[in-house]
Amino acid sequence: KNIITVIGDWRYSLFLLIMIGFWTMFNQLFYTLPNFIEQWVDTRLLLQQFQALIGNGASILDNGSGEINPEMLINFDSAAIVIFQVLISTLVMKFKPLNTMMTGILISTLGVCLAFATQNSIFTFLGIFVFALGEMSSSPKFTEYIGRIAPADKAGLYMGTSFLPIAAGNYFAGKISGVLYQGMSDKYTLLKLEVTKRGLNIPEVSENFTLNNYYDKAGELMHLTPTELTLMLWDTYNPSQIWNIFAAIGGAAVVALFLYDRFIIGKIPATVSDNQD
């Protein structure tokens, strides 16, 4: 009953609805990027850079094949937060929550786009770091903003309902990561299209004919090495174009927050808007 009462605050509900877009885009770093790295990104170059920088300390990143596991690469987001969160929080402390959230979401969106833009693992790493900067700016301000706009006697309840867009964002992120990625960027799906286009006869993937067997057979029939096969599919089908979807979601959230601040919060009487600002 109390949750329904809070959702009845249409201005607050509209804000939560907008934030679903942010969390949908946000979760692509964890839902989609690991698959993208595994299928398309050559992490050997990045590992070599770490080896040149920290020597034997880079061995913790090596998966035994001279590459970095996608999960390990994604963990740089958490490492950046541990190292830089206090600094970023100090820098954005004096800025208005909504303005900081808009800036942070925009930065995170740019980071996601950079991470998906190329096969160069150095740019993937930079994209993850840029994403982390936006995350460090926007996420704390999201909590702060809700704490400011909540009535004093319902602050805990409002804070609890703030997790609704996070849950919805997780749901929609899964939909995008599954359906859209498979249709636009999945290496196996794109290779099957190329195999069909060339009229090649390759068995379907099964318990007796693995995905790696499929890749190897396709490369053999096309007279391409595994690296050449990946490059051919990249150039032909442009799997990185999925970043356009993520950019659109993040950009829409920023525009929606701007309009919300301009036309919804800006129309609230001064005695109320002072509390919400």
Side-chain angles (χ1 to χ4, degrees):
K1 180 180 179 180
N2 288 335
I3 290 176
I4 293 174
T5 300
V6 173
I7 299 301
D9 181 348
W10 69 271
R11 292 186 181 90
Y12 178 64
S13 294
L14 180 59
F15 171 70
L16 295 184
L17 186 63
I18 293 171
M19 292 305 296
I20 291 175
F22 166 67
W23 291 111
T24 299
M25 182 276 300
F26 174 93
N27 280 297
Q28 297 313 315
L29 188 80
F30 310 100
Y31 278 56
T32 308
L33 187 58
N35 293 328
F36 186 85
I37 293 172
E38 182 177 5
Q39 292 186 341
W40 300 108
V41 178
D42 184 357
T43 60
R44 290 174 294 181
L45 178 60
L46 181 62
L47 180 60
Q48 291 168 6
Q49 295 299 315
F50 276 115
Q51 289 171 338
L53 182 64
I54 60 177
N56 293 332
S59 61
I60 192 175
L61 302 174
D62 194 338
N63 66 1
S65 302
E67 297 177 326
I68 303 175
N69 283 332
E71 294 80 7
M72 183 66 73
L73 193 53
I74 298 299
N75 282 338
F76 282 110
D77 171 69
S78 301
I81 292 174
V82 170
I83 297 171
F84 296 107
Q85 181 65 73
V86 174
L87 174 62
I88 298 299
S89 295
T90 302
L91 292 175
V92 303
M93 185 181 300
K94 296 182 180 180
F95 295 104
K96 294 182 178 180
L98 271 180
N99 291 341
T100 306
M101 277 191 285
M102 285 187 281
T103 303
I105 294 172
L106 182 60
I107 293 173
S108 290
T109 301
L110 293 175
V112 167
C113 294
L114 180 60
F116 281 92
T118 75
Q119 292 179 282
N120 190 319
S121 55
I122 293 178
F123 284 98
T124 304
F125 175 78
L126 290 176
I128 293 172
F129 179 72
V130 171
F131 176 90
L133 292 177
E135 179 185 355
M136 286 184 275
S137 301
S138 58
S139 294
K141 286 293 184 178
F142 172 65
T143 304
E144 176 186 344
Y145 181 71
I146 293 176
R148 289 191 178 194
I149 65 175
D153 61 336
K154 293 185 175 65
L157 184 58
Y158 271 65
M159 293 295 290
T161 56
S162 69
F163 287 92
L164 292 175
I166 298 176
N170 271 280
Y171 174 79
F172 290 115
K175 291 294 184 181
I176 292 175
S177 181
V179 177
L180 283 183
Y181 186 82
Q182 183 176 4
M184 298 176 64
S185 304
D186 180 62
K187 186 176 181 179
Y188 174 59
T189 300
L190 299 181
L191 181 56
K192 286 186 67 176
L193 289 175
E194 186 66 20
V195 166
T196 301
K197 184 191 301 184
R198 299 191 183 204
L200 303 177
N201 184 21
I202 302 178
E204 292 292 329
V205 172
S206 64
E207 292 183 2
N208 299 321
F209 192 78
T210 67
L211 186 60
N212 287 333
N213 293 145
Y214 191 96
Y215 290 150
D216 292 341
K217 187 63 177 180
E220 176 187 334
L221 295 176
M222 297 179 192
H223 307 290
L224 298 171
T225 66
T227 299
E228 291 171 340
L229 180 65
T230 300
L231 288 174
M232 181 274 294
L233 292 173
W234 179 275
D235 293 336
T236 303
Y237 295 100
N238 190 21
S240 67
Q241 65 184 328
I242 196 171
W243 74 262
N244 293 300
I245 305 296
F246 305 148
I249 295 172
V254 172
V255 171
L257 278 178
F258 173 79
L259 297 175
Y260 177 80
D261 184 39
R262 183 75 178 272
F263 297 105
I264 303 299
I265 298 301
K267 298 298 183 180
I268 299 176
T271 54
V272 178
S273 61
D274 285 346
N275 181 47
Q276 297 206 4
D277 190 45

